[in-house]
Amino acid sequence: MSAICPECDSPIDVDEFDVDIGDELTCSECGTLLRVSNDAPLEFEAADDEDEDLDDEEETAAVTEEGDADDAEDDLDDDEEEEDDGYKDDDE
């Protein structure tokens, strides 16, 4: 069974029993990392593109989480300053 590399249009021969959806392999002609996107008919997609998208999403999530942590620390600092300014609870 063969399929076409989406990057260089070269045919890639594989044994249909050796590949499953999600498996990765490298095109012998152009070196592109490919992922099996469909097994009937056999189709490949460039795995690098999706990995870069996932990396971008992970970086965005990390920045957002760091921002949330900084905000929480700022809120905590503000609370401590209020206590230092002489504000007291009625419970004390």
Side-chain angles (χ1 to χ4, degrees):
M1 174 181 284
S2 69
I4 303 297
C5 173
E7 295 297 315
C8 68
D9 296 326
S10 295
I12 300 172
D13 293 321
V14 294
D15 183 356
E16 65 182 302
F17 299 109
D18 287 340
V19 294
D20 293 314
I21 294 175
D23 287 352
E24 294 182 347
L25 56 104
T26 302
C27 175
S28 59
E29 294 295 318
C30 68
T32 300
L33 182 63
L34 303 172
R35 182 176 297 122
V36 177
S37 60
N38 195 4
D39 58 359
L42 182 63
E43 294 178 354
F44 298 112
E45 63 187 6
D48 294 336
D49 294 340
E50 288 186 15
D51 292 342
E52 289 174 10
D53 291 343
L54 291 175
D55 290 344
D56 291 344
E57 290 173 11
E58 290 171 357
E59 288 175 15
T60 302
V63 169
T64 302
E65 289 174 7
E66 288 175 9
D68 291 344
D70 290 342
D71 291 344
E73 289 176 14
D74 291 344
D75 291 343
L76 181 60
D77 291 342
D78 292 343
D79 291 341
E80 290 173 358
E81 289 175 10
E82 288 176 8
E83 290 176 12
D84 292 340
D85 290 339
Y87 293 110
K88 297 185 179 198
D89 276 339
D90 294 334
D91 297 334
E92 291 181 8

